[in-house]
Amino acid sequence: MGLKGLLAGIAGRARVPVFAVGGAGARDDLANLRLRTEISMLDTPRPANILLVAGSFTDAGIAALRRVHDQMSPPRLTVHWGPTTLEGLPAEHVVSGNVDGLVDAIVDLHRALLHGTLPSEAPLLPDIDPAEWRNVGPYGQGGKGMTGGVPYGRPMAERGPDRDGIQLDRLPVTLGPWLPALPAGLTLRVTFQGDIIQEASVGPAAVTAAIASPFKEALRRPVPLADLELARARHHLIWLAEALRLVGLGALGLRALRLAARLTPQDNDAVDALARAIRKSGAFAWSLGSAGRLDPSLTEGLGPVARASGLPDDARLEDPTYRSLGFTPITFADGDPRARWRQRLAEITQSLDLAMQAPDRTAFGDGVVEGPHGRLEQGAPTPSSRLLELLPALLTGLEWGDAVTCLASIDMDPAEAAAAPPSAGEGEAA
Amino acid sequence: MNPATAILFTGGVLGAGVYIVSVLDRLLAGTAAGNREGTAALLLDPFRSVALLMSQRRTVTERPDREAWALAPALLAGLAAVAFTAIPLTPGLAIADVPVGIVLFGAALVQVMVAVFLHGWSSNSIFPLIGGYRFAALALSVGIPFSLVLITTAIPAESLSVGVIISSQAELWNVLRQPLGLPIYLLTALGFAFWGPFQHPDAADLAGGSQTETSGTALLAWRTARAALLVSAAAMGSAAFLGGPLGPWLPGWAWSILKTVALLAVMIWFGHRTARPRMENVVKFGWLVLLPLALVDVFVSGALTL
């Protein structure tokens, strides 16, 4: 064993650097992987050795995945988690089954990769400039004055008035769909001036349609209320973990994930302790602001987002089971990211209380249900699809850091945005 | 000290410091997450991560500024080392206990802005560039309070030499004589090392910021340099505010190391439990809170010395 073998031996015991891409239906499983000490989930594909792919994607999503694959520096390997592989990606390594099996498989594959018994994957895309070089300067510049032009297919920064009325460079870029700071599968086309978003629009959907269970079932048939409320609390805790990670509190986020993984209706003390730690961290005081305020008139039917802007808007008010338990929605007034965090933290506690009160009763089943993102109704657009429409106006004028915090605070799910709740006919067929 | 010994000494001490930083970081992250890890895993993990990054190939982006990209981590590490040389571990055990040591230290830390901006600029990519810009705003906001509280420790010593500043604390440490000094110093030092709540240039919302496009040995170099910077800042904190090698029973160098490790632990612990503020709040906090407090520190310390 030479020096290289020794290095590979030691490196094989390190946390495996994984860049995980989650399509529709993979959110919770991938979030739980963060709890495993054998692997580390990275924010960028560059230093990752394993590309982990789970869930289902649209063609646009897979095309973007191929670019992510080539951004990883060798040695690299693609692992599919789930029943099938995806067309257009290396398909040698498919793992189906639970998290334990997946982690073991990743660790083994990674060791083989480091020792050279498995070859590193070749690039999927040709290493050529994506568009022809145009214009005159050494970098293709020279459209107008010293700037302008479209070197290698990318528009150069051009000047335009900024919010202070000064002429500043504008840089158009496409972000996502696999940027871990954005909801998985969301593509944003953004024009930056400095790091201020001057214009924003939404790109093609990268994930296929999906509505989270058990809320999807509750559209068609009555579902135990305790199941719905535990699922809601779990959804918010996993959301919280992600939001905490984005404001630099990844360690507290892991606490939220661990709680979500073993959540019972009796866990309110643990939720309170977590909420105290978050308050002490200063997150409410200085990380979340009022940048990204939503007017209440825009938020009807948007669940926690609506209630955080003061509307007592909740489909649970229409359900007899909830009414018999004396359910009243919690609301906050400000309608900004800070209020939305407070809202979800309070709703976790409320959901656990509801689950404890009515362990055996069922609720919903008539084509309307209060999902984790808001009101799901047959024939109506899903709350996430409405949030998606609000994004361009919401993000315009925000500094990038605030835009990320704001996006996280509205909890938009691209898979739900692509979905239409099933009609009654579909329900009967199923 | 001859140059070879000086380089070995600085490299050795900073290297050990970087190791301690990575062990403490993982340990304290685990505590904040409510997760206990085995001692062996904690102690061995830094070596494993180093081996992993060494076995990875470096990234090449489209039209990077190659020279700047390679130089930025080296510059950051060099500045951490230069800053460190001004700090005596015990009287006589310093690489360069020059008469203006505290100015040398401050000057080295101010240049960190160049290294971070260069790192963000050079990969020719949007998030690293935003990371570089963010550091400029961050360093400008914490830089003056940082320099002020540091230079205030020179007032009772009537000298800019770190050695003299240490011996001036024989009767009373500066942490008690200038109670505002150490907290402001630690906060702003976290800013200069862009660590914890001030991780803006390399933050998660920028997918790693200035290091988004970096992998392999280049990433290893950058992370090592950043940890070394934190070590230098903690070592200076121990010398300027906690009397460095002063203390009973143990030899001076042992006190220096203990105090430095304690400050590192405080800073890293704070980092894992404190949210990253919005950039606007960082700037407001620096100019409207820290700067006036640092000025009070200067005036009060000056008045008491008269």
Side-chain angles (χ1 to χ4, degrees):
Chain A
M1 188 166 71
L3 190 62
K4 220 174 158 187
L6 183 68
L7 200 65
I10 302 172
R13 295 180 164 274
R15 292 176 160 216
V16 182
V18 173
F19 188 78
V21 176
R27 168 189 182 260
D28 296 5
D29 288 337
L30 286 184
N32 280 329
L33 279 180
R34 289 189 185 273
L35 291 172
R36 303 297 299 242
T37 50
E38 299 92 332
I39 61 178
S40 85
M41 306 267 276
L42 305 182
D43 287 341
T44 161
R46 291 299 192 185
N49 284 3
I50 303 285
L51 176 65
L52 176 65
V53 183
S56 70
F57 303 85
T58 64
D59 288 346
I62 293 175
L65 258 172
R66 288 162 62 85
R67 286 201 296 279
V68 168
H69 175 273
D70 286 4
Q71 283 170 4
M72 298 199 301
S73 45
R76 62 189 167 204
L77 215 57
T78 308
V79 176
H80 299 261
W81 187 21
T84 51
T85 60
L86 296 169
E87 190 92 14
L89 282 172
E92 291 83 12
H93 309 292
V94 187
V95 184
S96 47
N98 62 8
V99 177
D100 291 331
L102 173 75
V103 171
D104 291 346
I106 287 179
V107 170
D108 289 346
L109 287 170
H110 185 238
R111 286 194 183 141
L113 181 68
L114 289 173
H115 284 288
T117 40
L118 274 178
S120 173
E121 284 168 1
L124 299 174
L125 302 169
D127 187 15
I128 52 164
D129 289 317
E132 215 168 299
W133 179 43
R134 283 187 264 161
N135 297 309
V136 288
Y139 297 98
Q141 79 273 28
K144 278 180 240 157
M146 284 305 289
T147 62
V150 193
Y152 300 107
R154 288 179 197 70
M156 280 193 70
E158 294 213 51
R159 288 190 302 168
D162 85 330
R163 57 179 176 176
D164 300 323
I166 322 167
Q167 292 279 317
L168 281 180
D169 281 354
R170 302 167 45 144
L171 185 65
V173 287
T174 301
L175 305 170
W178 310 123
L179 180 66
L182 301 180
L186 177 69
T187 310
L188 274 185
R189 297 201 181 98
V190 171
T191 303
F192 278 118
Q193 256 182 340
D195 66 346
I196 307 281
I197 295 177
Q198 233 221 3
E199 270 173 47
S201 62
V202 175
V207 294
T208 55
I211 293 176
S213 58
F215 303 98
K216 190 176 179 180
E217 287 82 36
L219 280 168
R220 298 191 193 121
R221 57 177 177 82
V223 165
L225 180 146
D227 289 0
L228 285 174
E229 292 307 318
L230 268 181
R232 188 187 317 279
R234 203 175 292 121
H235 177 96
H236 288 336
L237 278 169
I238 292 173
W239 162 83
L240 182 64
E242 183 57 17
L244 285 169
R245 191 180 71 75
L246 288 174
V247 296
L249 292 170
L252 287 183
L254 291 184
R255 250 170 87 175
L257 280 180
R258 193 165 299 115
L259 195 53
R262 55 152 186 79
L263 193 68
T264 66
Q266 283 81 36
D267 276 329
N268 258 337
D269 288 346
V271 174
D272 288 346
L274 182 62
R276 268 197 306 279
I278 295 170
R279 255 191 305 273
K280 266 197 239 165
S281 77
F284 289 112
W286 55 65
S287 299
L288 306 163
S290 48
R293 199 177 172 278
L294 268 174
D295 191 82
S297 64
L298 298 171
T299 62
E300 208 179 311
L302 294 181
V305 171
R307 296 191 284 277
S309 58
L311 296 183
D313 179 322
D314 200 314
R316 286 176 284 183
L317 283 171
E318 298 153 29
D319 183 84
T321 312
Y322 281 96
R323 275 211 304 266
S324 70
L325 291 172
F327 169 79
T328 33
I330 300 169
T331 56
F332 284 83
D334 291 334
D336 55 18
R338 199 179 280 159
R340 296 195 272 269
W341 274 54
R342 291 212 167 99
Q343 182 71 37
R344 290 207 185 81
L345 275 172
E347 289 194 11
I348 294 171
T349 307
Q350 187 187 35
S351 287
L352 294 183
D353 285 342
L354 286 167
M356 191 131 74
Q357 279 180 46
D360 307 321
R361 300 178 65 181
T362 58
F364 294 117
D366 294 334
V368 179
V369 66
E370 181 68 19
H373 306 280
R375 186 188 179 91
L376 291 163
E377 191 170 0
Q378 280 173 7
T382 57
S384 287
S385 73
R386 295 196 30 229
L387 286 167
L388 193 66
E389 284 167 20
L390 293 177
L391 282 188
L394 185 63
L395 300 181
T396 302
L398 296 188
E399 186 257 333
W400 175 251
D402 286 343
V404 168
T405 319
C406 177
L407 252 172
S409 78
I410 64 171
D411 188 22
M412 204 278 304
D413 176 11
E416 192 194 85
S423 67
E426 249 180 278
E428 280 155 24
Chain B
M1 219 181 264
N2 77 48
T5 326
I7 291 171
L8 279 177
F9 178 75
T10 312
V13 175
L14 279 182
V18 169
Y19 173 74
I20 292 171
V21 167
S22 54
V23 172
L24 279 176
D25 191 47
R26 186 141 176 198
L27 175 71
L28 296 170
T31 334
N35 175 30
R36 247 169 207 291
E37 274 190 84
T39 316
L42 275 177
L43 296 179
L44 293 177
D45 186 64
F47 300 108
R48 293 169 177 168
S49 303
V50 167
L52 180 73
L53 287 172
M54 282 175 69
S55 63
Q56 231 173 33
R57 218 178 295 166
R58 286 178 173 221
T59 313
V60 188
T61 54
E62 189 183 4
R63 292 184 182 262
D65 186 337
R66 283 169 199 277
E67 295 80 6
W69 207 1
L71 269 176
L75 179 59
L76 192 65
L79 291 171
V82 167
F84 182 77
T85 56
I87 307 161
L89 273 182
T90 61
L93 189 61
I95 312 296
D97 191 7
V98 289
V100 290
I102 208 143
V103 178
L104 175 67
F105 178 87
L109 257 76
V110 167
Q111 306 295 319
V112 166
M113 205 189 316
V114 180
V116 177
F117 187 79
L118 212 55
H119 198 235
W121 159 267
S122 51
S123 59
N124 192 21
S125 175
I126 180 84
F127 284 142
L129 184 65
I130 294 181
Y133 281 129
R134 276 187 182 181
F135 191 70
L138 172 63
L140 287 173
S141 306
V142 299
I144 297 175
F146 177 84
S147 315
L148 281 178
V149 294
L150 195 55
I151 218 84
T152 307
T153 61
I155 297 177
E158 297 180 23
S159 165
L160 294 171
S161 149
V162 185
V164 180
I165 290 175
I166 291 173
S167 48
S168 80
Q169 299 176 71
E171 285 170 8
L172 189 62
W173 292 358
N174 279 336
V175 65
L176 297 173
R177 192 153 48 189
Q178 304 173 356
L180 279 173
L182 186 62
I184 297 179
Y185 176 82
L186 290 182
L187 268 179
T188 50
L190 278 173
F192 268 108
F194 45 110
W195 201 281
F198 296 114
Q199 210 193 8
H200 299 79
D202 285 359
D205 62 337
L206 295 180
S210 86
Q211 50 181 346
T212 303
E213 303 282 5
T214 315
S215 65
T217 47
L219 186 58
L220 176 63
W222 182 250
R223 291 192 176 155
T224 308
R226 194 166 75 107
L229 196 65
L230 197 70
V231 175
S232 290
M236 180 50 106
S238 105
F241 294 97
L242 299 178
L246 301 176
W249 310 305
L250 295 175
W253 57 265
W255 275 116
S256 284
I257 291 173
L258 274 179
K259 290 171 185 174
T260 303
V261 172
L263 287 186
L264 281 175
V266 168
M267 288 198 275
I268 295 170
W269 175 87
F270 182 74
H272 284 298
R273 283 160 196 270
T274 313
R276 189 181 69 249
R278 298 175 56 214
M279 204 60 225
E280 194 182 317
N281 290 341
V282 172
V283 176
K284 281 186 186 158
F285 182 65
W287 291 101
L288 301 178
V289 180
L290 286 183
L291 180 60
L293 284 179
L295 284 171
V296 169
D297 185 48
V298 175
F299 296 149
V300 172
S301 305
L304 289 178
T305 315
L306 281 178

